[in-house]
Amino acid sequence: MKQLVVSGVLVALLSGCSTVGGFLRKGPAPSDVVTGETIPIAAEVETAALAPATAAPPPPPAARTVEALDTTTPEQRAAAVAPAQSPSKALGKTVVSLGSPTEPGLWMKTPLVKDEAQGRVTNPANGKSSLVTLLPLDGPSTAGSRMSLPALRLIGASLTDLTEVQVALEG
């Protein structure tokens, strides 16, 4: 009998867990949301901000592998690793980590720039470089940066480690 009572109490407690989120949620309940309005998805906003040479479509929602998350084309990757056509202006070094793997394209969010710009990131460990869109990131210039999954792959950097890179403005 004691087991039956304990089981009943546990079931009652667990069934109430789904309503706990309603007490902790900030903002309107799902039933209070106005229909007909659309909010842009983060990936769409990021794609719109990227230059055409470094932009890519968002990965499919079911993407779970590196290959599925990297939606850059072979042509884009070839163009990104091609040597710079004109001299570049060095911005400095920064330590990068993997940014959001669901944000498509070749980009780096860094405090080394104040405005969006085309740039080149070089991995001094192996000499590989990639064209990227440099996006401003709040913080001191000595703070770290975040880089897209495709860009990290192109420069031969680990997706799980911190890598020091050289950053330059392109052109």
Side-chain angles (χ1 to χ4, degrees):
M1 182 69 176
K2 186 176 180 181
Q3 290 175 338
L4 185 60
V5 172
V6 170
S7 296
V9 170
L10 287 176
V11 169
L13 288 172
L14 289 175
S15 67
C17 288
S18 65
T19 61
V20 171
F23 295 114
L24 301 176
R25 181 181 324 143
K26 294 187 186 333
S31 60
D32 297 338
V33 175
V34 178
T35 58
E37 294 182 28
T38 58
I39 299 172
I41 297 172
E44 292 174 0
V45 173
E46 291 300 324
T47 301
L50 298 176
T54 57
R64 298 291 180 259
T65 65
V66 171
E67 288 75 25
L69 290 166
D70 183 352
T71 59
T72 56
T73 65
E75 294 80 18
Q76 283 178 301
R77 292 190 289 271
V81 298
Q85 298 295 327
S86 57
S88 56
K89 177 186 173 198
L91 294 177
K93 293 181 181 182
T94 187
V95 175
V96 296
S97 62
L98 176 63
S100 173
T102 61
E103 291 182 33
L106 299 166
W107 52 264
M108 183 172 84
K109 294 179 181 178
T110 180
L112 296 176
V113 295
K114 298 298 178 213
D115 296 311
E116 181 181 322
Q118 283 293 114
R120 182 161 294 275
V121 178
T122 304
N123 183 349
N126 59 19
K128 292 182 179 183
S129 70
S130 174
L131 179 69
V132 295
T133 298
L134 299 172
L135 301 167
L137 182 66
D138 287 336
S141 62
T142 56
S145 303
R146 293 184 291 251
M147 189 179 288
S148 70
L149 182 136
L152 280 173
R153 291 179 71 195
L154 287 176
I155 65 168
S158 169
L159 300 180
T160 58
D161 293 339
L162 299 176
T163 304
E164 185 176 69
V165 296
Q166 297 169 338
V167 183
L169 288 176
E170 186 79 7

Short mmCIF file of all heavy atoms in Angstrom, two decimals, residues 18-59:
data_model
loop_
_atom_site.label_atom_id
_atom_site.label_comp_id
_atom_site.label_asym_id
_atom_site.label_seq_id
_atom_site.Cartn_x
_atom_site.Cartn_y
_atom_site.Cartn_z
N SER A 18 4.93 20.41 -15.83
CA SER A 18 4.72 21.10 -17.09
C SER A 18 4.16 22.50 -16.88
O SER A 18 4.29 23.36 -17.75
CB SER A 18 3.81 20.30 -18.01
OG SER A 18 2.52 20.21 -17.43
N THR A 19 3.54 22.76 -15.74
CA THR A 19 2.98 24.08 -15.50
C THR A 19 3.94 25.00 -14.77
O THR A 19 3.70 26.19 -14.68
CB THR A 19 1.67 23.98 -14.68
OG1 THR A 19 1.98 23.38 -13.42
CG2 THR A 19 0.62 23.17 -15.41
N VAL A 20 5.05 24.47 -14.27
CA VAL A 20 6.00 25.31 -13.54
C VAL A 20 6.57 26.39 -14.45
O VAL A 20 6.74 27.53 -14.07
CB VAL A 20 7.15 24.45 -12.94
CG1 VAL A 20 8.25 25.33 -12.39
CG2 VAL A 20 6.60 23.56 -11.86
N GLY A 21 6.81 26.06 -15.73
CA GLY A 21 7.35 27.04 -16.67
C GLY A 21 6.47 28.26 -16.80
O GLY A 21 6.94 29.36 -17.04
N GLY A 22 5.16 28.10 -16.65
CA GLY A 22 4.26 29.24 -16.75
C GLY A 22 4.47 30.24 -15.64
O GLY A 22 4.29 31.43 -15.81
N PHE A 23 4.88 29.78 -14.45
CA PHE A 23 5.12 30.68 -13.34
C PHE A 23 6.44 31.41 -13.51
O PHE A 23 6.61 32.52 -13.06
CB PHE A 23 5.14 29.91 -12.01
CG PHE A 23 3.82 29.30 -11.66
CD1 PHE A 23 3.67 27.92 -11.61
CD2 PHE A 23 2.72 30.09 -11.39
CE1 PHE A 23 2.46 27.36 -11.28
CE2 PHE A 23 1.51 29.53 -11.07
CZ PHE A 23 1.37 28.16 -11.02
N LEU A 24 7.41 30.76 -14.16
CA LEU A 24 8.75 31.35 -14.30
C LEU A 24 8.91 32.15 -15.58
O LEU A 24 9.85 32.91 -15.70
CB LEU A 24 9.80 30.22 -14.28
CG LEU A 24 9.81 29.36 -13.02
CD1 LEU A 24 10.81 28.24 -13.17
CD2 LEU A 24 10.13 30.20 -11.80
N ARG A 25 8.03 31.98 -16.53
CA ARG A 25 8.17 32.63 -17.83
C ARG A 25 8.01 34.13 -17.71
O ARG A 25 7.15 34.63 -17.02
CB ARG A 25 7.11 32.09 -18.79
CG ARG A 25 7.21 32.71 -20.17
CD ARG A 25 6.14 32.19 -21.10
NE ARG A 25 5.96 30.82 -20.75
CZ ARG A 25 4.80 30.16 -20.74
NH1 ARG A 25 3.76 30.66 -21.11
NH2 ARG A 25 4.68 28.94 -20.36
N LYS A 26 8.85 34.84 -18.42
CA LYS A 26 8.72 36.29 -18.50
C LYS A 26 8.07 36.60 -19.84
O LYS A 26 8.44 36.05 -20.85
CB LYS A 26 10.09 36.95 -18.40
CG LYS A 26 10.72 36.75 -17.04
CD LYS A 26 11.98 37.56 -16.96
CE LYS A 26 12.81 37.41 -15.76
NZ LYS A 26 12.39 37.03 -14.54
N GLY A 27 7.14 37.48 -19.88
CA GLY A 27 6.48 37.82 -21.13
C GLY A 27 5.13 37.13 -21.22
O GLY A 27 4.69 36.45 -20.31
N PRO A 28 4.48 37.30 -22.37
CA PRO A 28 3.13 36.78 -22.51
C PRO A 28 3.13 35.25 -22.61
O PRO A 28 4.08 34.64 -23.05
CB PRO A 28 2.64 37.40 -23.82
CG PRO A 28 3.90 37.65 -24.60
CD PRO A 28 4.94 37.98 -23.57
N ALA A 29 2.03 34.68 -22.17
CA ALA A 29 1.85 33.24 -22.33
C ALA A 29 1.63 32.95 -23.80
O ALA A 29 1.22 33.84 -24.55
CB ALA A 29 0.64 32.79 -21.49
N PRO A 30 1.87 31.72 -24.25
CA PRO A 30 1.68 31.42 -25.68
C PRO A 30 0.29 31.78 -26.19
O PRO A 30 0.15 32.18 -27.33
CB PRO A 30 1.91 29.91 -25.76
CG PRO A 30 2.80 29.60 -24.59
CD PRO A 30 2.41 30.58 -23.53
N SER A 31 -0.74 31.69 -25.36
CA SER A 31 -2.09 32.03 -25.81
C SER A 31 -2.27 33.54 -25.94
O SER A 31 -3.21 33.99 -26.57
CB SER A 31 -3.12 31.46 -24.84
OG SER A 31 -2.91 32.01 -23.54
N ASP A 32 -1.37 34.35 -25.34
CA ASP A 32 -1.47 35.80 -25.41
C ASP A 32 -0.75 36.39 -26.61
O ASP A 32 -0.83 37.58 -26.86
CB ASP A 32 -0.88 36.44 -24.15
CG ASP A 32 -1.64 36.06 -22.89
OD1 ASP A 32 -2.82 35.67 -23.01
OD2 ASP A 32 -1.04 36.14 -21.80
N VAL A 33 -0.01 35.57 -27.36
CA VAL A 33 0.78 36.07 -28.48
C VAL A 33 -0.15 36.46 -29.61
O VAL A 33 -1.06 35.73 -29.97
CB VAL A 33 1.79 34.99 -28.96
CG1 VAL A 33 2.53 35.45 -30.18
CG2 VAL A 33 2.76 34.66 -27.84
N VAL A 34 0.11 37.63 -30.20
CA VAL A 34 -0.69 38.12 -31.30
C VAL A 34 -0.30 37.36 -32.55
O VAL A 34 0.88 37.26 -32.88
CB VAL A 34 -0.46 39.64 -31.51
CG1 VAL A 34 -1.26 40.13 -32.69
CG2 VAL A 34 -0.81 40.39 -30.25
N THR A 35 -1.26 36.81 -33.24
CA THR A 35 -0.96 36.09 -34.47
C THR A 35 -0.89 37.05 -35.64
O THR A 35 -1.42 38.16 -35.58
CB THR A 35 -2.02 35.01 -34.75
OG1 THR A 35 -3.29 35.66 -34.82
CG2 THR A 35 -2.03 33.97 -33.66
N GLY A 36 -0.21 36.63 -36.70
CA GLY A 36 -0.11 37.48 -37.88
C GLY A 36 1.19 38.25 -37.92
O GLY A 36 1.59 38.73 -38.97
N GLU A 37 1.86 38.41 -36.79
CA GLU A 37 3.14 39.10 -36.78
C GLU A 37 4.26 38.08 -36.91
O GLU A 37 4.18 37.00 -36.35
CB GLU A 37 3.32 39.87 -35.48
CG GLU A 37 2.36 41.01 -35.30
CD GLU A 37 2.62 41.76 -34.00
OE1 GLU A 37 3.76 41.77 -33.54
OE2 GLU A 37 1.66 42.32 -33.47
N THR A 38 5.29 38.43 -37.66
CA THR A 38 6.42 37.51 -37.77
C THR A 38 7.66 38.17 -37.20
O THR A 38 7.86 39.37 -37.34
CB THR A 38 6.69 37.12 -39.24
OG1 THR A 38 6.95 38.31 -39.99
CG2 THR A 38 5.52 36.37 -39.83
N ILE A 39 8.45 37.37 -36.55
CA ILE A 39 9.70 37.83 -35.98
C ILE A 39 10.81 37.15 -36.77
O ILE A 39 10.77 35.93 -36.95
CB ILE A 39 9.79 37.48 -34.49
CG1 ILE A 39 8.65 38.16 -33.75
CG2 ILE A 39 11.15 37.85 -33.91
CD1 ILE A 39 8.52 37.75 -32.31
N PRO A 40 11.81 37.90 -37.27
CA PRO A 40 12.85 37.26 -38.06
C PRO A 40 13.66 36.27 -37.23
O PRO A 40 13.96 36.52 -36.07
CB PRO A 40 13.72 38.43 -38.53
CG PRO A 40 13.42 39.55 -37.60
CD PRO A 40 12.02 39.31 -37.09
N ILE A 41 13.99 35.16 -37.84
CA ILE A 41 14.83 34.16 -37.20
C ILE A 41 16.25 34.69 -37.19
O ILE A 41 16.70 35.36 -38.12
CB ILE A 41 14.75 32.83 -37.99
CG1 ILE A 41 13.31 32.31 -37.94
CG2 ILE A 41 15.73 31.80 -37.46
CD1 ILE A 41 13.06 31.13 -38.83
N ALA A 42 17.01 34.38 -36.13
CA ALA A 42 18.38 34.89 -35.99
C ALA A 42 19.21 34.58 -37.20
O ALA A 42 20.00 35.39 -37.66
CB ALA A 42 19.02 34.31 -34.74
N ALA A 43 19.10 33.39 -37.77
CA ALA A 43 19.90 33.01 -38.93
C ALA A 43 19.59 33.91 -40.11
O ALA A 43 20.48 34.28 -40.87
CB ALA A 43 19.65 31.55 -39.29
N GLU A 44 18.31 34.31 -40.28
CA GLU A 44 17.95 35.19 -41.38
C GLU A 44 18.58 36.56 -41.19
O GLU A 44 19.05 37.18 -42.14
CB GLU A 44 16.44 35.32 -41.49
CG GLU A 44 15.77 34.03 -41.92
CD GLU A 44 14.25 34.13 -41.87
OE1 GLU A 44 13.72 35.20 -41.51
OE2 GLU A 44 13.60 33.13 -42.18
N VAL A 45 18.61 37.06 -39.98
CA VAL A 45 19.19 38.36 -39.69
C VAL A 45 20.68 38.32 -39.99
O VAL A 45 21.23 39.21 -40.64
CB VAL A 45 18.93 38.77 -38.23
CG1 VAL A 45 19.68 40.04 -37.88
CG2 VAL A 45 17.45 38.95 -38.00
N GLU A 46 21.37 37.27 -39.53
CA GLU A 46 22.80 37.16 -39.75
C GLU A 46 23.12 37.04 -41.24
O GLU A 46 24.07 37.62 -41.72
CB GLU A 46 23.38 35.97 -38.99
CG GLU A 46 23.37 36.15 -37.49
CD GLU A 46 24.17 37.35 -37.03
OE1 GLU A 46 25.22 37.64 -37.62
OE2 GLU A 46 23.74 38.01 -36.09
N THR A 47 22.34 36.27 -42.00
CA THR A 47 22.58 36.11 -43.42
C THR A 47 22.44 37.44 -44.13
O THR A 47 23.22 37.77 -45.01
CB THR A 47 21.60 35.09 -44.02
OG1 THR A 47 21.78 33.85 -43.34
CG2 THR A 47 21.84 34.88 -45.50
N ALA A 48 21.45 38.25 -43.74
CA ALA A 48 21.23 39.54 -44.37
C ALA A 48 22.40 40.47 -44.11
O ALA A 48 22.73 41.31 -44.94
CB ALA A 48 19.94 40.16 -43.87
N ALA A 49 23.09 40.34 -42.98
CA ALA A 49 24.17 41.23 -42.64
C ALA A 49 25.47 40.86 -43.35
O ALA A 49 26.37 41.68 -43.44
CB ALA A 49 24.41 41.21 -41.13
N LEU A 50 25.59 39.64 -43.84
CA LEU A 50 26.83 39.20 -44.45
C LEU A 50 26.95 39.67 -45.90
O LEU A 50 25.95 39.81 -46.60
CB LEU A 50 26.92 37.67 -44.41
CG LEU A 50 26.94 37.03 -43.03
CD1 LEU A 50 26.94 35.52 -43.17
CD2 LEU A 50 28.15 37.48 -42.24
N ALA A 51 28.19 39.86 -46.34
CA ALA A 51 28.45 40.20 -47.73
C ALA A 51 28.13 38.99 -48.59
O ALA A 51 28.25 37.85 -48.13
CB ALA A 51 29.91 40.62 -47.89
N PRO A 52 27.75 39.18 -49.86
CA PRO A 52 27.39 38.04 -50.71
C PRO A 52 28.47 36.96 -50.81
O PRO A 52 28.16 35.79 -50.86
CB PRO A 52 27.13 38.68 -52.06
CG PRO A 52 26.80 40.09 -51.76
CD PRO A 52 27.57 40.44 -50.53
N ALA A 53 29.73 37.34 -50.82
CA ALA A 53 30.81 36.36 -50.96
C ALA A 53 30.92 35.45 -49.74
O ALA A 53 31.43 34.34 -49.84
CB ALA A 53 32.13 37.06 -51.19
N THR A 54 30.45 35.90 -48.59
CA THR A 54 30.60 35.12 -47.36
C THR A 54 29.27 34.67 -46.78
O THR A 54 29.23 34.05 -45.73
CB THR A 54 31.37 35.94 -46.30
OG1 THR A 54 30.68 37.16 -46.07
CG2 THR A 54 32.78 36.22 -46.74
N ALA A 55 28.16 34.96 -47.47
CA ALA A 55 26.83 34.58 -46.99
C ALA A 55 26.50 33.15 -47.41
O ALA A 55 27.04 32.64 -48.38
CB ALA A 55 25.78 35.54 -47.54
N ALA A 56 25.63 32.52 -46.67
CA ALA A 56 25.17 31.17 -47.00
C ALA A 56 23.78 30.99 -46.43
O ALA A 56 23.39 31.69 -45.49
CB ALA A 56 26.12 30.13 -46.41
N PRO A 57 23.02 30.05 -46.99
CA PRO A 57 21.68 29.81 -46.44
C PRO A 57 21.77 29.14 -45.07
O PRO A 57 22.77 28.48 -44.77
CB PRO A 57 21.04 28.88 -47.47
CG PRO A 57 22.19 28.20 -48.13
CD PRO A 57 23.32 29.20 -48.13
N PRO A 58 20.75 29.30 -44.25
CA PRO A 58 20.77 28.65 -42.94
C PRO A 58 20.72 27.13 -43.09
O PRO A 58 20.15 26.63 -44.06
CB PRO A 58 19.53 29.17 -42.23
CG PRO A 58 18.68 29.77 -43.28
CD PRO A 58 19.55 30.10 -44.45
N PRO A 59 21.30 26.43 -42.14
CA PRO A 59 21.23 24.96 -42.21
C PRO A 59 19.82 24.46 -41.92
O PRO A 59 19.03 25.16 -41.30
CB PRO A 59 22.21 24.50 -41.12
CG PRO A 59 22.29 25.64 -40.18
CD PRO A 59 22.05 26.88 -40.98
#
